[in-house]
Amino acid sequence: MIRMVMADSGNILAIARNELDRLTDLPINIIHQIQDRISVQDAAKMSVLSRAWRYIWSSNPRLIFATGFCTMRLPSKTIDIITAILLQHHGSVKTFSVDISPIHSSQHPVVDRWMLFLSRNGLMNLSVRNEKSVNAPYKLPSYVYNVELEHLVLSNCIFRPPCSFRGFSKLGKLQLSRVSFELDVATSSLWMPSLETLHFTKCSGLRFLNIYAPKLLYLYLVGCGNDPLNLGPFMVCSKLKTFGILEQEVPLNTQDKTMIPTDILHSWPNLNRLILGKCFLKFFRSGTGVDCPPMRLNRLHLTDYDFDGEDQMFALLSILRNSPDLEILSFHMLSQRKNDDMEVDENSSQGPDYGTQQLNNLRTLQINRFHGSRAELLFIKFILASAPLLQKAILLVETSVCESQSLEISKVLMRFPRASPKAEIIYEPWSEKSKYRIVL
């Protein structure tokens, strides 16, 4: 009996050892993929699980130092840990992401040394975040511009390339937030033949920047109105699918046609998603003689929209008239409403002339911060009557609308005729965390 128990114990240990060996013998790239899904600390702790894994964590080509990691201890300690990890690392570092927000600008030379190490070790994807607005911007060192990057994300940084810099030839995605460009004549024109995604948010120094990216698919400009980007070079981007321009003032009296997006919409035959702020819509306003060109849009999103603004309504109708393939139409409204426009009257004849326009492919209408004004109700009435394939009209009511007023508005909505038998009206309070969040 004792021998049988000992034999069974031996078999169990052998099975356990075999199971452990299966993990130990995993290919190194699989182990690196496992480490990519856990924190840096936990990846280092994996070294105690197996003698064969002792140094695998130090060869992982992806080093991600997230905000949580960089802010959970004193900045000096964070600097020491990251420096130690880089010194112990062997092999290439293809991806490096770090949040330097806790690091004082006096310690930026340490970050420079990190960048120097990375520039010599096969770096392809770089993300440097400096989120705190009170922080001094981090100046990207010159040797980073010599790296064949494929993905670059910067926030609160200074972009001042050396005179020899002509662009990143392999860069596919460039995402910049609060980046200040300091360019001279030699570095103002950048050639990026592989670039597909370009995103500027509240950047400065863009006026003299010319980016040539013939393969560009996605272009976003957010809050760069004080120093607008020259859009002229993007006229060759015939493959462009998405264009977004938000929170950006565009002077109406300008003679610089590079900042009149309507002039280059003709150059984007494959454009299917348009994201516009109210300032852009000024170019379509009544009396300007500017009309929207025919487009193949299937998604249109308008921000800071005001249905009571005659010029904005004129612009909207111009876009709808020239976008027969539109499937999704969404609005993010101004949070304030006029005090003299509180009356609910679905029979009012006042409002824009919608004519007999049909929206034969529209599936979804969404209005965030819906107030229930007369102009809004007239527009919804038009949509319900003109969209035979409409499936959802999502109306998220502004929190300032009282409960009794909201109830009256809902009764009015229910009486509107619908061209689509499947049209559903979703009527809920507005919230930043709404499950009907618009994905731009």
PDB file of all heavy atoms in Angstrom, residues 218-242:
ATOM      1  N   TYR A 218      -6.306  59.420 -42.587  1.00  0.00           N
ATOM      2  CA  TYR A 218      -7.041  60.064 -41.494  1.00  0.00           C
ATOM      3  C   TYR A 218      -6.331  61.349 -41.086  1.00  0.00           C
ATOM      4  O   TYR A 218      -5.151  61.325 -40.738  1.00  0.00           O
ATOM      5  CB  TYR A 218      -7.139  59.118 -40.286  1.00  0.00           C
ATOM      6  CG  TYR A 218      -7.631  57.733 -40.642  1.00  0.00           C
ATOM      7  CD1 TYR A 218      -6.731  56.686 -40.828  1.00  0.00           C
ATOM      8  CD2 TYR A 218      -8.992  57.481 -40.808  1.00  0.00           C
ATOM      9  CE1 TYR A 218      -7.173  55.413 -41.171  1.00  0.00           C
ATOM     10  CE2 TYR A 218      -9.443  56.214 -41.153  1.00  0.00           C
ATOM     11  CZ  TYR A 218      -8.525  55.193 -41.334  1.00  0.00           C
ATOM     12  OH  TYR A 218      -8.975  53.944 -41.673  1.00  0.00           O
ATOM     13  N   LEU A 219      -7.059  62.465 -41.119  1.00  0.00           N
ATOM     14  CA  LEU A 219      -6.491  63.763 -40.777  1.00  0.00           C
ATOM     15  C   LEU A 219      -7.406  64.463 -39.780  1.00  0.00           C
ATOM     16  O   LEU A 219      -8.593  64.688 -40.062  1.00  0.00           O
ATOM     17  CB  LEU A 219      -6.343  64.623 -42.040  1.00  0.00           C
ATOM     18  CG  LEU A 219      -5.902  66.084 -41.838  1.00  0.00           C
ATOM     19  CD1 LEU A 219      -4.535  66.148 -41.162  1.00  0.00           C
ATOM     20  CD2 LEU A 219      -5.872  66.815 -43.182  1.00  0.00           C
ATOM     21  N   TYR A 220      -6.854  64.799 -38.592  1.00  0.00           N
ATOM     22  CA  TYR A 220      -7.624  65.461 -37.535  1.00  0.00           C
ATOM     23  C   TYR A 220      -6.890  66.729 -37.095  1.00  0.00           C
ATOM     24  O   TYR A 220      -5.687  66.694 -36.809  1.00  0.00           O
ATOM     25  CB  TYR A 220      -7.792  64.550 -36.312  1.00  0.00           C
ATOM     26  CG  TYR A 220      -8.490  63.244 -36.582  1.00  0.00           C
ATOM     27  CD1 TYR A 220      -7.765  62.107 -36.948  1.00  0.00           C
ATOM     28  CD2 TYR A 220      -9.873  63.134 -36.452  1.00  0.00           C
ATOM     29  CE1 TYR A 220      -8.408  60.897 -37.185  1.00  0.00           C
ATOM     30  CE2 TYR A 220     -10.517  61.928 -36.686  1.00  0.00           C
ATOM     31  CZ  TYR A 220      -9.783  60.816 -37.053  1.00  0.00           C
ATOM     32  OH  TYR A 220     -10.410  59.622 -37.283  1.00  0.00           O
ATOM     33  N   LEU A 221      -7.618  67.837 -37.011  1.00  0.00           N
ATOM     34  CA  LEU A 221      -7.091  69.098 -36.497  1.00  0.00           C
ATOM     35  C   LEU A 221      -8.028  69.583 -35.402  1.00  0.00           C
ATOM     36  O   LEU A 221      -9.191  69.891 -35.676  1.00  0.00           O
ATOM     37  CB  LEU A 221      -7.001  70.145 -37.607  1.00  0.00           C
ATOM     38  CG  LEU A 221      -6.192  69.761 -38.854  1.00  0.00           C
ATOM     39  CD1 LEU A 221      -6.343  70.825 -39.928  1.00  0.00           C
ATOM     40  CD2 LEU A 221      -4.737  69.562 -38.498  1.00  0.00           C
ATOM     41  N   VAL A 222      -7.523  69.654 -34.176  1.00  0.00           N
ATOM     42  CA  VAL A 222      -8.357  70.028 -33.043  1.00  0.00           C
ATOM     43  C   VAL A 222      -7.703  71.186 -32.290  1.00  0.00           C
ATOM     44  O   VAL A 222      -6.589  71.058 -31.786  1.00  0.00           O
ATOM     45  CB  VAL A 222      -8.559  68.835 -32.075  1.00  0.00           C
ATOM     46  CG1 VAL A 222      -9.459  69.244 -30.914  1.00  0.00           C
ATOM     47  CG2 VAL A 222      -9.150  67.639 -32.805  1.00  0.00           C
ATOM     48  N   GLY A 223      -8.400  72.311 -32.235  1.00  0.00           N
ATOM     49  CA  GLY A 223      -7.946  73.429 -31.421  1.00  0.00           C
ATOM     50  C   GLY A 223      -6.634  74.043 -31.857  1.00  0.00           C
ATOM     51  O   GLY A 223      -5.871  74.518 -31.023  1.00  0.00           O
ATOM     52  N   CYS A 224      -6.352  74.050 -33.164  1.00  0.00           N
ATOM     53  CA  CYS A 224      -5.099  74.636 -33.663  1.00  0.00           C
ATOM     54  C   CYS A 224      -5.372  75.944 -34.407  1.00  0.00           C
ATOM     55  O   CYS A 224      -4.625  76.323 -35.310  1.00  0.00           O
ATOM     56  CB  CYS A 224      -4.387  73.654 -34.593  1.00  0.00           C
ATOM     57  SG  CYS A 224      -3.984  72.061 -33.837  1.00  0.00           S
ATOM     58  N   GLY A 225      -6.446  76.640 -34.038  1.00  0.00           N
ATOM     59  CA  GLY A 225      -6.897  77.800 -34.801  1.00  0.00           C
ATOM     60  C   GLY A 225      -5.977  78.992 -34.762  1.00  0.00           C
ATOM     61  O   GLY A 225      -5.957  79.797 -35.692  1.00  0.00           O
ATOM     62  N   ASN A 226      -5.219  79.195 -33.685  1.00  0.00           N
ATOM     63  CA  ASN A 226      -4.346  80.360 -33.596  1.00  0.00           C
ATOM     64  C   ASN A 226      -3.177  80.288 -34.568  1.00  0.00           C
ATOM     65  O   ASN A 226      -2.592  81.304 -34.924  1.00  0.00           O
ATOM     66  CB  ASN A 226      -3.817  80.512 -32.161  1.00  0.00           C
ATOM     67  CG  ASN A 226      -4.920  80.848 -31.178  1.00  0.00           C
ATOM     68  OD1 ASN A 226      -5.900  81.482 -31.543  1.00  0.00           O
ATOM     69  ND2 ASN A 226      -4.766  80.405 -29.938  1.00  0.00           N
ATOM     70  N   ASP A 227      -2.855  79.080 -34.997  1.00  0.00           N
ATOM     71  CA  ASP A 227      -1.728  78.888 -35.903  1.00  0.00           C
ATOM     72  C   ASP A 227      -2.084  77.757 -36.864  1.00  0.00           C
ATOM     73  O   ASP A 227      -1.537  76.654 -36.781  1.00  0.00           O
ATOM     74  CB  ASP A 227      -0.479  78.526 -35.095  1.00  0.00           C
ATOM     75  CG  ASP A 227       0.766  79.198 -35.629  1.00  0.00           C
ATOM     76  OD1 ASP A 227       0.696  79.766 -36.729  1.00  0.00           O
ATOM     77  OD2 ASP A 227       1.796  79.167 -34.941  1.00  0.00           O
ATOM     78  N   PRO A 228      -3.031  77.992 -37.780  1.00  0.00           N
ATOM     79  CA  PRO A 228      -3.606  76.899 -38.568  1.00  0.00           C
ATOM     80  C   PRO A 228      -2.618  76.239 -39.514  1.00  0.00           C
ATOM     81  O   PRO A 228      -1.686  76.863 -40.020  1.00  0.00           O
ATOM     82  CB  PRO A 228      -4.739  77.585 -39.338  1.00  0.00           C
ATOM     83  CG  PRO A 228      -4.326  79.016 -39.412  1.00  0.00           C
ATOM     84  CD  PRO A 228      -3.611  79.292 -38.137  1.00  0.00           C
ATOM     85  N   LEU A 229      -2.841  74.946 -39.718  1.00  0.00           N
ATOM     86  CA  LEU A 229      -1.997  74.160 -40.604  1.00  0.00           C
ATOM     87  C   LEU A 229      -2.339  74.453 -42.062  1.00  0.00           C
ATOM     88  O   LEU A 229      -3.498  74.637 -42.422  1.00  0.00           O
ATOM     89  CB  LEU A 229      -2.208  72.673 -40.311  1.00  0.00           C
ATOM     90  CG  LEU A 229      -1.403  71.675 -41.145  1.00  0.00           C
ATOM     91  CD1 LEU A 229       0.076  71.753 -40.793  1.00  0.00           C
ATOM     92  CD2 LEU A 229      -1.912  70.250 -40.896  1.00  0.00           C
ATOM     93  N   ASN A 230      -1.327  74.494 -42.900  1.00  0.00           N
ATOM     94  CA  ASN A 230      -1.508  74.668 -44.333  1.00  0.00           C
ATOM     95  C   ASN A 230      -2.077  73.382 -44.924  1.00  0.00           C
ATOM     96  O   ASN A 230      -1.431  72.336 -44.927  1.00  0.00           O
ATOM     97  CB  ASN A 230      -0.153  75.005 -44.970  1.00  0.00           C
ATOM     98  CG  ASN A 230      -0.256  75.198 -46.470  1.00  0.00           C
ATOM     99  OD1 ASN A 230      -1.349  75.221 -47.039  1.00  0.00           O
ATOM    100  ND2 ASN A 230       0.878  75.348 -47.122  1.00  0.00           N
ATOM    101  N   LEU A 231      -3.306  73.460 -45.428  1.00  0.00           N
ATOM    102  CA  LEU A 231      -3.957  72.271 -45.964  1.00  0.00           C
ATOM    103  C   LEU A 231      -3.644  72.026 -47.432  1.00  0.00           C
ATOM    104  O   LEU A 231      -3.999  70.983 -47.973  1.00  0.00           O
ATOM    105  CB  LEU A 231      -5.475  72.382 -45.781  1.00  0.00           C
ATOM    106  CG  LEU A 231      -5.974  72.354 -44.337  1.00  0.00           C
ATOM    107  CD1 LEU A 231      -7.471  72.592 -44.289  1.00  0.00           C
ATOM    108  CD2 LEU A 231      -5.633  71.047 -43.659  1.00  0.00           C
ATOM    109  N   GLY A 232      -2.988  72.978 -48.074  1.00  0.00           N
ATOM    110  CA  GLY A 232      -2.696  72.845 -49.496  1.00  0.00           C
ATOM    111  C   GLY A 232      -1.989  71.555 -49.870  1.00  0.00           C
ATOM    112  O   GLY A 232      -2.401  70.867 -50.820  1.00  0.00           O
ATOM    113  N   PRO A 233      -0.901  71.166 -49.157  1.00  0.00           N
ATOM    114  CA  PRO A 233      -0.203  69.932 -49.535  1.00  0.00           C
ATOM    115  C   PRO A 233      -1.059  68.677 -49.443  1.00  0.00           C
ATOM    116  O   PRO A 233      -0.725  67.657 -50.055  1.00  0.00           O
ATOM    117  CB  PRO A 233       0.948  69.872 -48.518  1.00  0.00           C
ATOM    118  CG  PRO A 233       1.185  71.290 -48.126  1.00  0.00           C
ATOM    119  CD  PRO A 233      -0.178  71.911 -48.115  1.00  0.00           C
ATOM    120  N   PHE A 234      -2.163  68.734 -48.700  1.00  0.00           N
ATOM    121  CA  PHE A 234      -2.997  67.540 -48.542  1.00  0.00           C
ATOM    122  C   PHE A 234      -3.941  67.328 -49.719  1.00  0.00           C
ATOM    123  O   PHE A 234      -4.701  66.359 -49.740  1.00  0.00           O
ATOM    124  CB  PHE A 234      -3.792  67.623 -47.238  1.00  0.00           C
ATOM    125  CG  PHE A 234      -2.934  67.639 -46.006  1.00  0.00           C
ATOM    126  CD1 PHE A 234      -2.742  68.806 -45.294  1.00  0.00           C
ATOM    127  CD2 PHE A 234      -2.295  66.495 -45.584  1.00  0.00           C
ATOM    128  CE1 PHE A 234      -1.936  68.834 -44.168  1.00  0.00           C
ATOM    129  CE2 PHE A 234      -1.484  66.499 -44.449  1.00  0.00           C
ATOM    130  CZ  PHE A 234      -1.298  67.678 -43.752  1.00  0.00           C
ATOM    131  N   MET A 235      -3.917  68.230 -50.690  1.00  0.00           N
ATOM    132  CA  MET A 235      -4.775  68.070 -51.864  1.00  0.00           C
ATOM    133  C   MET A 235      -4.390  66.846 -52.681  1.00  0.00           C
ATOM    134  O   MET A 235      -5.199  66.341 -53.460  1.00  0.00           O
ATOM    135  CB  MET A 235      -4.730  69.333 -52.721  1.00  0.00           C
ATOM    136  CG  MET A 235      -5.318  70.558 -52.053  1.00  0.00           C
ATOM    137  SD  MET A 235      -5.324  72.034 -53.097  1.00  0.00           S
ATOM    138  CE  MET A 235      -6.574  71.598 -54.310  1.00  0.00           C
ATOM    139  N   VAL A 236      -3.166  66.349 -52.505  1.00  0.00           N
ATOM    140  CA  VAL A 236      -2.733  65.154 -53.244  1.00  0.00           C
ATOM    141  C   VAL A 236      -3.150  63.870 -52.531  1.00  0.00           C
ATOM    142  O   VAL A 236      -2.907  62.777 -53.047  1.00  0.00           O
ATOM    143  CB  VAL A 236      -1.205  65.168 -53.449  1.00  0.00           C
ATOM    144  CG1 VAL A 236      -0.776  66.403 -54.220  1.00  0.00           C
ATOM    145  CG2 VAL A 236      -0.463  65.096 -52.109  1.00  0.00           C
ATOM    146  N   CYS A 237      -3.782  64.002 -51.375  1.00  0.00           N
ATOM    147  CA  CYS A 237      -4.165  62.820 -50.578  1.00  0.00           C
ATOM    148  C   CYS A 237      -5.499  62.271 -51.077  1.00  0.00           C
ATOM    149  O   CYS A 237      -6.525  62.357 -50.393  1.00  0.00           O
ATOM    150  CB  CYS A 237      -4.236  63.177 -49.101  1.00  0.00           C
ATOM    151  SG  CYS A 237      -2.693  63.813 -48.418  1.00  0.00           S
ATOM    152  N   SER A 238      -5.483  61.698 -52.246  1.00  0.00           N
ATOM    153  CA  SER A 238      -6.721  61.219 -52.864  1.00  0.00           C
ATOM    154  C   SER A 238      -7.325  60.026 -52.132  1.00  0.00           C
ATOM    155  O   SER A 238      -8.491  59.692 -52.344  1.00  0.00           O
ATOM    156  CB  SER A 238      -6.464  60.840 -54.322  1.00  0.00           C
ATOM    157  OG  SER A 238      -5.456  59.833 -54.412  1.00  0.00           O
ATOM    158  N   LYS A 239      -6.542  59.375 -51.244  1.00  0.00           N
ATOM    159  CA  LYS A 239      -7.043  58.211 -50.508  1.00  0.00           C
ATOM    160  C   LYS A 239      -7.678  58.584 -49.171  1.00  0.00           C
ATOM    161  O   LYS A 239      -8.161  57.700 -48.457  1.00  0.00           O
ATOM    162  CB  LYS A 239      -5.898  57.222 -50.253  1.00  0.00           C
ATOM    163  CG  LYS A 239      -5.280  56.649 -51.519  1.00  0.00           C
ATOM    164  CD  LYS A 239      -4.157  55.675 -51.186  1.00  0.00           C
ATOM    165  CE  LYS A 239      -3.542  55.098 -52.449  1.00  0.00           C
ATOM    166  NZ  LYS A 239      -2.452  54.130 -52.131  1.00  0.00           N
ATOM    167  N   LEU A 240      -7.688  59.876 -48.822  1.00  0.00           N
ATOM    168  CA  LEU A 240      -8.168  60.305 -47.510  1.00  0.00           C
ATOM    169  C   LEU A 240      -9.604  59.833 -47.260  1.00  0.00           C
ATOM    170  O   LEU A 240     -10.491  60.037 -48.087  1.00  0.00           O
ATOM    171  CB  LEU A 240      -8.108  61.830 -47.403  1.00  0.00           C
ATOM    172  CG  LEU A 240      -8.240  62.389 -45.982  1.00  0.00           C
ATOM    173  CD1 LEU A 240      -6.976  62.106 -45.183  1.00  0.00           C
ATOM    174  CD2 LEU A 240      -8.525  63.885 -46.006  1.00  0.00           C
ATOM    175  N   LYS A 241      -9.815  59.199 -46.082  1.00  0.00           N
ATOM    176  CA  LYS A 241     -11.129  58.676 -45.721  1.00  0.00           C
ATOM    177  C   LYS A 241     -11.828  59.509 -44.650  1.00  0.00           C
ATOM    178  O   LYS A 241     -13.058  59.597 -44.632  1.00  0.00           O
ATOM    179  CB  LYS A 241     -10.997  57.229 -45.221  1.00  0.00           C
ATOM    180  CG  LYS A 241     -10.546  56.240 -46.261  1.00  0.00           C
ATOM    181  CD  LYS A 241     -10.491  54.834 -45.670  1.00  0.00           C
ATOM    182  CE  LYS A 241     -10.077  53.811 -46.709  1.00  0.00           C
ATOM    183  NZ  LYS A 241     -10.034  52.425 -46.130  1.00  0.00           N
ATOM    184  N   THR A 242     -11.043  60.096 -43.732  1.00  0.00           N
ATOM    185  CA  THR A 242     -11.621  60.849 -42.607  1.00  0.00           C
ATOM    186  C   THR A 242     -10.940  62.200 -42.485  1.00  0.00           C
ATOM    187  O   THR A 242      -9.704  62.287 -42.504  1.00  0.00           O
ATOM    188  CB  THR A 242     -11.448  60.070 -41.290  1.00  0.00           C
ATOM    189  OG1 THR A 242     -12.135  58.821 -41.380  1.00  0.00           O
ATOM    190  CG2 THR A 242     -12.017  60.869 -40.121  1.00  0.00           C
TER     191      THR A 242
END
